[in-house]
Amino acid sequence: MAMVISSVHATVFARASFFCQSNGLRSFRSCLPFSSSAASVSTHNLSQKKWRQPVSSVLDFGGVKISREDVVRDDPTNNVPDNIFSKLGVQLHRRDQHPLGTLKNAIYEYFDTNYSNKFEKFDDLCPIVSVKENFDDVLVPEDHVSRSYNDTYYVDPQTVLRCHTSAHQAKLLRSGYTHFLVTGDVYRRDSIDSTHYPVFHQMEGFRVFSPEDWEASGMDASLFAATDLKKCLEGLASHLFGAVEMRWVDTYFPFTNPSFELEIYFKENWLEVLGCGVTEQEILKRNGKPNSVAWAFGLGLERLAMVLFDIPDIRLFWSNDERFTSQFSNGELGVKFKPFSKYPPCYKDMSFWLSESFTENNLCEVVRGIAGDLVEEVQLIDNFTNKKGMTSHCYRIAYRSMERSLTDEEINDLQWKVREQVQNKLNVVLR
């Protein structure tokens, strides 16, 4: 469950890629959607489209070939751009000498040490999942904003790039797993700044209890699970951050009740570490465990890694620059990042009259599609409404490479392309 920062083949799962038939193509199914943003857009009236046959196979998940044409299509129900498709299969969390892989392994070490290898680990499940798995199976309401095309990458009306690792939770439960950790890359249309990126990584933990587990304790099932959950996660926080002050905050998630967030006092600030809770009984009933109780937690690897490793910009996780990668080559938790350069940003402003369909996430998708990781931030700096009721926004775009200086010619070219695409694709009027 990605609770803040935001869950088989023939022989069950066997640690290979997890897949099933969907609209003629085998697609794959990871933590709960503990946060999202933007306005909801109904998808029920969108026409259903069938999968096209792959033209050329570029990705291989557990022997199943996935081509670009399976994911990126010239289709009104598809909003996956090429720059997002290019991230599929990269799986930074599986690189032991990468900060995300190092953090994942440290969490594994905690669970292996404290739970005698009870927790099954899954970190290679493909991120192409059904809408049912991504939303319905974890009780996300039909009108929840996370379902909108503004927030989620849709391959077609029934298929998405997973928004959270809980998309695999129901299948794992039905397959008989009672203790598991699911780690993977997740995808959300989002804003552009130093802490947000459309692809990030989450880990979900899930534990199921049988009646004999709690009956001798004198506690009811829910209290027993909540007590065990808090003890587990306080231990995990200490394992990662050392002897820190902690506090629990009551919150709400649609898939757990009661629900909590764990905060730690770190570097003179309260830091939200993860979200968690006692799993809703409806999820257990639907998946063959009506007499059980369970807990679940979810955390964002980038969020914690940026704190533990002092990494200032989320784009750096995707860098292949040896000045970055060599600093983490020993796979040690908590190695502090040493900045190797600080190239100046270049700012470009753009103003336009809004259309009724305009959203900031769509703007960010256009900018990111043209500038890629050269765009550092897109920020609204001014807005007003005239006497005719027309609204104007002015956005400041910061261009900056983490690895080199950008030329004036290069930036001007990017900005002209952005302006052209914003006007053509977003139906706005430039000022």
Side-chain angles (χ1 to χ4, degrees):
M1 284 188 299
M3 303 180 169
V4 254
I5 358 196
S6 189
S7 266
V8 300
H9 56 233
T11 58
V12 269
F13 272 87
R15 289 190 178 77
S17 290
F18 165 32
F19 58 88
C20 70
Q21 287 297 128
S22 174
N23 295 331
L25 176 76
R26 286 177 175 181
S27 63
F28 306 73
R29 335 294 182 204
S30 283
C31 196
L32 303 179
F34 282 57
S35 63
S36 60
S37 59
S40 177
V41 178
S42 174
T43 64
H44 296 301
N45 59 352
L46 290 171
S47 60
Q48 298 184 8
K49 302 292 181 179
K50 293 183 178 180
W51 288 94
R52 297 177 186 171
Q53 285 296 318
V55 176
S56 60
S57 296
V58 293
L59 298 175
D60 187 326
F61 294 97
V64 178
K65 304 293 185 181
I66 305 296
S67 75
R68 176 185 177 277
E69 288 74 18
D70 292 321
V71 182
V72 181
R73 308 182 195 155
D74 184 16
D75 181 320
T77 68
N78 181 286
N79 63 352
V80 183
D82 280 324
N83 64 302
I84 295 300
F85 173 75
S86 69
K87 300 295 192 295
L88 290 172
V90 176
Q91 297 185 315
L92 297 177
H93 61 284
R94 302 191 73 200
R95 301 181 182 183
D96 292 341
Q97 296 178 328
H98 188 279
L100 299 182
T102 298
L103 176 56
K104 181 198 74 173
N105 291 336
I107 298 172
Y108 280 0
E109 178 186 34
Y110 169 78
F111 279 93
D112 287 345
T113 300
N114 291 276
Y115 294 92
S116 302
N117 298 307
K118 280 186 176 182
F119 281 79
E120 295 286 341
K121 307 179 188 70
F122 301 92
D123 70 354
D124 61 351
L125 309 184
C126 181
I128 303 173
V129 302
S130 70
V131 167
K132 178 179 182 297
E133 291 165 318
N134 197 70
F135 297 121
D136 299 338
D137 284 351
V138 289
L139 310 183
V140 176
E142 289 196 7
D143 60 352
H144 197 275
V145 293
S146 64
R147 290 180 181 256
S148 78
Y149 274 62
N150 191 59
D151 276 27
T152 295
Y153 290 107
Y154 279 80
V155 175
D156 63 30
Q158 293 79 42
T159 314
V160 299
L161 300 185
R162 68 186 172 207
C163 302
H164 45 187
T165 44
S166 296
H168 305 294
Q169 185 184 106
K171 191 77 170 185
L172 286 166
L173 288 171
R174 291 195 299 271
S175 299
Y177 291 96
T178 59
H179 298 64
F180 52 85
L181 301 171
V182 179
T183 312
D185 44 324
V186 298
Y187 299 77
R188 297 184 193 175
R189 302 175 89 242
D190 211 339
S191 55
I192 299 176
D193 58 40
S194 63
T195 62
H196 291 86
Y197 200 80
V199 188
F200 54 107
H201 299 76
Q202 295 179 344
M203 180 185 290
E204 168 174 279
F206 203 95
R207 184 179 188 182
V208 179
F209 298 94
S210 300
E212 54 267 27
D213 292 321
W214 71 78
E215 285 175 349
S217 70
M219 291 185 275
D220 66 34
S222 180
L223 178 59
F224 178 86
T227 302
D228 185 87
L229 170 65
K230 290 182 176 181
K231 178 181 177 182
C232 169
L233 296 180
E234 287 172 0
L236 175 60
S238 296
H239 179 73
L240 297 177
F241 293 94
V244 293
E245 185 180 353
M246 306 179 200
R247 68 184 183 190
W248 290 97
V249 179
D250 292 335
T251 189
Y252 165 79
F253 303 120
F255 21 75
T256 54
N257 183 27
S259 302
F260 315 100
E261 290 173 349
L262 175 61
E263 297 182 349
I264 65 170
Y265 195 69
F266 190 73
K267 296 184 177 179
E268 300 184 352
N269 286 294
W270 283 103
L271 170 70
E272 183 182 331
V273 175
L274 49 79
C276 62
V278 178
T279 305
E280 284 282 4
Q281 283 302 117
E282 181 64 24
I283 292 176
L284 297 173
K285 289 177 183 177
R286 290 183 184 182
N287 296 292
K289 294 177 171 53
N291 300 317
S292 300
V293 68
W295 56 243
F297 73 85
L299 55 83
L301 293 180
E302 277 89 347
R303 179 180 176 85
L304 298 188
M306 291 180 78
V307 175
L308 287 166
F309 295 96
D310 283 351
I311 294 174
D313 193 304
I314 197 169
R315 293 175 298 165
L316 279 165
F317 289 109
W318 296 90
S319 176
N320 291 316
D321 192 312
E322 288 188 0
R323 291 172 295 177
F324 176 80
T325 58
S326 64
Q327 295 188 38
F328 308 101
S329 60
N330 293 328
E332 296 176 6
L333 184 68
V335 171
K336 302 305 180 185
F337 171 66
K338 297 180 178 60
F340 48 83
S341 61
K342 187 65 173 179
Y343 297 105
C346 178
Y347 299 102
K348 296 288 184 180
D349 293 349
M350 178 173 56
S351 299
F352 46 81
W353 298 105
L354 302 188
S355 64
E356 290 185 1
S357 61
F358 174 82
T359 71
E360 192 167 302
N361 278 1
N362 286 339
L363 171 64
C364 290
E365 283 296 305
V366 169
V367 177
R368 191 181 281 116
I370 294 169
D373 286 354
L374 295 182
V375 59
E376 179 176 68
E377 186 175 34
V378 175
Q379 181 181 18
L380 177 66
I381 60 171
D382 185 47
N383 74 90
F384 72 91
T385 301
N386 66 12
K387 294 181 180 179
K388 296 181 179 180
M390 298 174 62
T391 299
S392 172
H393 279 186
C394 179
Y395 286 90
R396 177 159 294 164
I397 303 174
Y399 297 97
R400 189 209 305 255
S401 170
M402 305 299 293
E403 300 168 356
R404 62 183 178 85
S405 292
L406 301 177
T407 66
D408 289 339
E409 181 181 7
E410 184 177 14
I411 294 169
N412 289 335
D413 183 56
L414 288 173
Q415 183 67 6
W416 278 113
K417 289 179 179 177
V418 166
R419 289 174 60 86
E420 179 182 32
Q421 290 299 309
V422 165
Q423 182 167 255
N424 292 340
K425 290 186 174 182
L426 303 186
N427 194 31
V428 301
V429 178
L430 295 176
R431 298 180 59 218

